[in-house]
Amino acid sequence: MPANNTKVVITGAGAVSPYGAGVAALWDGILAGRGCMHTVPELEALPMVKTKVAATVPEMDFSYIPRRDRRSMSRMALYAYAAAQEALRHAGYESAPQGLGFFMGSTLNSISVWMQITSHCHGGHLELVKTSDFLQIMNHSPLATVSQALKINGPCVGASDACATGLMNAGLAYMAVKTGFVKQALCGGTEEYHPMFSACFDIMQATSHNFNDRPAEACRPFDKDRTGLVASEGCGLLFVESEESAKARGAEILAEIIGFASNTETENMAYPSAETLRECMQAALADAGIQPEEVDLLNAHATGTVIGDIAETQAAAAVFGPGVKINSLKGHLGHTMGASGSLETVACLETLRRGVIPPTQNLHAPDERCARLEYVRQTEESPVKIILKNSFAIGGNNCSLILRRPQ
C-alpha cells in the first residue's frame, strides 16, 4: 500500500448475533459466558451427519423495515440492515452520509431461498418464482438490498472470501479510506445459517460431534477434546473513516486500524499451513510499522478444528513467541462464517474500550499439539492497547487486521 499519513479509525459498530440484536447484547453474552448453541431438528433427522448442533439468531421483529425494501431481503440481508442502522447511529448519523462506501459480503447467498426456488422448478411451477426471490439470491444480494434501503450511494463492493469475508471487507474499506478512494465506509460480513453448512463441513470431518448432548460445550477452540466447528450466523459491521473526518465532526473514535494484510494458501484448499499464516500476520505487522512484542492480544480465527487450531498457534508462536495472549470467541458464538471476522472485531473494540479480555469458552485443557502460548482461560482485566485479529478461510484466503486503542 502506498505510504501516506492518513489515519483510518472506527467510529461506529453494529451487530446481530446468536445473543440477539446489538453490540450490547453481543458483549454482555460473551462476558457472561452464556451458551447460545443448540440442537437442530433438521440435523437430528439426518443420521449420516454426525454434528447435531448450531447457533442461530433469536427471532427478531423486522417489521420496522419498510415492506417495499423488506420483501427483497433474505434473512442475512435483514441482519445486515439492523447492524448497518446501529453502526450508522453509533457513528452519529441518522441516515447514510453522502458518498458513503459499503464493503460487505457473505459466504453464500440465501440457501433457504434457493431451495424454495428449486422446489418450484422441480414441481414444474416456474411461474411461482417471484422477482423478489431472485433479488434474494444474487451474489451481492445483502449489499444491494441494504444499500438501496438505506440510500448508500457511494461505491458498494461485495467481496466474498468464505470465512474471511468479514475481515477482508474491513481490510478493503481500510485501504479505500487510506488511499482516498472514499472518506467513509461501512464494512463487514453477514451470514444466515442453513443445515447444509453443517452437513458440508461434516463431510470434511470439520464439525463438532462429541458434545451433541451438551450443545453449549460443543465448540472448544484449542481444547484437547475438540473435534470441529459449530456453524452459526449473524452480522457485524464497522463504520470507518479518516481520522480527519472523525475529528472534524466531533465523532468518538473507538479504535484506529493501523495494519492489514491478506495472502493465499496455495497447497491445500481446506487446510491452512502455519507458514502461510505466519507470513500473513508478519505482513500486517509490517503494514502497521510495529514489532510483534507491541501486540497485547491475538484474537484468533480458531474455529475448534483439529488441524486449523494447531496451524494457527504454531504460526503465532513463530511470530510472537510463547508470551502472546491469545483467545478465540467461537466457543461463545460458534462460527458465523462470512460474518465472523467483522462480528468478532466488534467484540475486540469492546475489549479495547473496557480493558477486559474474554476467555476462550470451553477451553479446559489446551491440546499439547498446539503451540505453548498464553491462552486466555478466564476473564482478565488488562489495559489492552493493540489487538491483532485473524480470519482464515476455506479456499485459502487469509487476513490479519490490527487495531489500536485511541491515543
Side-chain angles (χ1 to χ4, degrees), residues 23 60 147 195 201 260 304 328 386:
V23 174
M60 293 175 59
S147 62
F201 279 104
F260 174 73
S328 169
I386 294 178

Side-chain angles (χ1 to χ4, degrees), residues 287-312:
D287 184 48
I290 63 173
Q291 297 302 310
E293 56 268 23
E294 295 180 72
V295 173
D296 300 302
L297 176 68
L298 171 59
N299 182 242
H301 181 63
T303 63
T305 59
V306 175
I307 294 175
D309 288 6
I310 293 172
E312 186 171 9

Side-chain angles (χ1 to χ4, degrees), residues 326-369:
I326 182 171
N327 73 344
S328 169
L329 297 175
K330 292 185 176 66
H332 293 84
L333 294 166
H335 190 355
T336 56
M337 306 295 168
S340 63
S342 51
L343 191 56
E344 291 163 17
T345 298
V346 171
C348 287
L349 295 177
E350 292 298 298
T351 288
L352 289 173
R353 185 167 77 90
R354 299 170 184 266
V356 177
I357 304 175
T360 300
Q361 188 91 324
N362 301 319
L363 174 55
H364 302 298
D367 188 342
E368 292 183 354
R369 294 169 294 176

Side-chain angles (χ1 to χ4, degrees), residues 374-394:
E374 292 293 325
Y375 295 99
V376 181
R377 295 169 62 184
Q378 59 186 11
T379 302
E380 296 184 13
E381 293 189 6
S382 176
V384 177
K385 181 180 177 183
I386 294 178
I387 299 176
L388 188 147
K389 169 75 192 120
N390 282 334
S391 283
F392 306 134
I394 186 169

Side-chain angles (χ1 to χ4, degrees), residues 80-95:
Y81 183 100
Q85 200 170 60
E86 182 183 22
L88 284 168
R89 288 174 177 167
H90 194 183
Y93 290 102
E94 284 301 315
S95 59

Side-chain angles (χ1 to χ4, degrees), residues 100-112:
L100 180 69
F102 195 13
F103 298 77
M104 185 183 72
S106 58
T107 303
L108 298 171
N109 49 37
S110 180
I111 300 174
S112 59

Side-chain angles (χ1 to χ4, degrees), residues 13-14 39 44 47 57 65 69 166 258 283 301 367 370 375:
T39 53
E44 291 184 300
V57 172
I65 303 174
D69 298 317
I258 60 173
H301 181 63
D367 188 342
C370 290
Y375 295 99

